Amino acid sequence: MSHKRIPKRKAAFAAGTVVALGAAAILLPNANASQDGSSNDAAAVAPKPLKATDASDLASQLQKLLGDAFAGSYYDADSRQLVVNVTAGNTSVVVQAKQAGAKVRVVDNSLTELAAGAKTLKDRATIPGTSWAVDPRTNKILVTADSTVTGAKWNTLESTVKSLGSDMATIKKSAGTFKTFVSGGDAIFGGGARCSLGFNVTAGDGSPAFLTAGHCGVAAEQWSDSETGQPIATVDQATFPGNGDFALVKYDDPATQAPSEVNVGGGQTVAIQQAADAEVGSQVFRMGSTTGLADGQVLALDATVNYPEGTVTGLIQTNVCAEPGDSGGSLFTQDGAAIGLTSGGSGDCTVGGETFFQPVTTALQAVGATLGAGDAAGGAGGGQAGGGEAGAGAGDEAGAGQEAGAGGDASASPGDEVGAGQEVGGEQAGGDVIGGQDAGNGQDAGNGQDAGNGQDAGNGQDAGNGTGDAGQSHN
């Protein structure tokens, strides 16, 4: 894609599919701004208020500091505190964690013991339609089975979970079916499938590229920004199934300008400043070309999902909704940190469900790409980026008396209303409205291009009807 065509893609998408689940109203400045710690002795050991991304940085530092005593962590959004689990009998590390600014909780199961339980599940219960991940809030393995796991399959899974003990693992049923969400960041098309662009990046050789889901990358080699348009990018690397679900797709035109931002609709964007690890309990936002903007919470990390196509490991589990076409789309934080790429899950944006994401940090490392301010990198674009800087907080030591990861401003400009100024449909999605306007399936959202689910989202080209499958269970 030439840089002259970039604004057209932005304009088409900005007028496009935005499903309002209340997410945009939360993308306001300083909502999670860090506070300065007091200098008195009491505050030195009291948990410090942190932004979610700063809490993730602190958790990584404490994991190294505490070693085997570290048993996971999560973010308490209500108190804006990082909660760190330590194993019983390791009281000597409690002071260290508290001095670093975390709230400390003593738990029974170590990460080694939880990993052993997960291995038992892998060996005995690798069944399509199941998933498992460690939930640090309960210090247990959360096992989920979709609606296809019945009869002998359910009995096998249930007996395996019971063998681990109620203090180690729990099991629940999901009403939907685990599947990858192929079908819409910006919509991309290839091989009869539709996916979403995740984040623009710079490849290891310096060329412009983007990240998307691996199951999209194995479905087609070349991708276009319209269903009938010429290819603009070619898959360089793709992983799916196996150790992740990610693909690096290089733009065919080396002069392509790849903005470091995520388009959230209505001409508004969130500037992407860095890639960051997810933290359980933190609020995240997902953008996809089918359902637009949605938000939710990280539930678990290092999730294993058994799709019909095969097992994928190392994913982020959330309660953010997604639908077919959202695959590969951006998962990010309010202050501009790239977190994940939409992989798959169950349910939809009407009834909800589980959705799994590929961690961006893992994908970047695997493909040798970079993402962040100053690079030709970012999210699916559109419009001008919001002002301000993201609070990074990385690089501070997590030692005694030091604040690790506080400070910084959110990336949205004060008073900006995300998603306002356009009417995106005739019905509400989930009963919520962005900027006082309705946003639902069947909406008019562009200039005559059909982009799936009856939506208009482009320039006179059909971008949804007749879109085929990209493989088994790819919708």
Side-chain angles (χ1 to χ4, degrees), residues 137-409:
R137 288 171 292 193
T138 61
N139 190 227
K140 297 178 182 180
I141 302 170
L142 174 62
V143 181
T144 306
D146 73 11
S147 59
T148 67
V149 182
T150 58
K153 294 179 181 179
W154 170 258
N155 293 337
T156 298
L157 181 65
E158 187 177 40
S159 63
T160 303
V161 171
K162 285 183 177 179
S163 73
L164 298 176
S166 60
D167 60 341
M168 176 67 69
T170 59
I171 188 172
K172 72 169 187 174
K173 271 277 196 179
S174 174
T177 302
F178 289 158
K179 58 184 179 295
T180 52
F181 287 134
V182 177
S183 170
D186 285 352
I188 54 174
F189 304 85
R194 178 163 63 92
C195 286
S196 293
L197 187 152
F199 298 97
N200 285 317
V201 299
T202 301
D205 61 2
S207 61
F210 63 82
L211 293 176
T212 189
H215 62 266
C216 299
V218 300
E221 182 180 5
Q222 293 185 306
W223 290 84
S224 173
D225 59 351
S226 66
E227 188 176 27
T228 59
Q230 293 297 310
I232 62 167
T234 302
V235 175
D236 182 73
Q237 303 176 51
T239 297
F240 178 83
N243 297 323
D245 186 2
F246 56 89
L248 176 69
V249 187
K250 290 185 177 181
Y251 288 105
D252 296 333
D253 182 355
T256 297
Q257 294 179 352
S260 182
E261 55 194 30
V262 173
N263 185 333
V264 294
Q268 301 294 316
T269 62
V270 173
I272 298 300
Q273 307 285 352
Q274 61 177 328
D277 294 323
E279 185 67 27
V280 171
S282 63
Q283 183 185 36
V284 285
F285 298 82
R286 177 199 52 74
M287 192 66 192
S289 66
T290 296
T291 56
L293 184 67
D295 75 304
Q297 194 176 82
V298 176
L299 300 180
L301 305 178
D302 198 22
T304 295
V305 184
N306 296 299
Y307 291 122
E309 299 89 345
T311 299
V312 180
T313 60
L315 301 182
I316 302 166
Q317 184 171 348
T318 76
N319 60 6
V320 185
C321 74
E323 295 183 6
D326 289 331
S327 279
S330 321
L331 185 73
F332 59 99
T333 65
Q334 175 185 358
D335 55 351
I339 300 295
L341 308 166
T342 307
S343 174
S346 66
D348 53 38
C349 287
T350 299
V351 300
E354 300 83 16
T355 303
F356 300 93
F357 295 83
Q358 164 66 45
V360 166
T361 52
T362 305
L364 289 171
Q365 183 177 16
V367 301
T370 57
L371 169 94
D375 295 327
Q384 297 298 315
E389 296 179 357
D396 292 331
E397 292 297 326
Q402 292 174 315
E403 178 163 346
D409 296 324

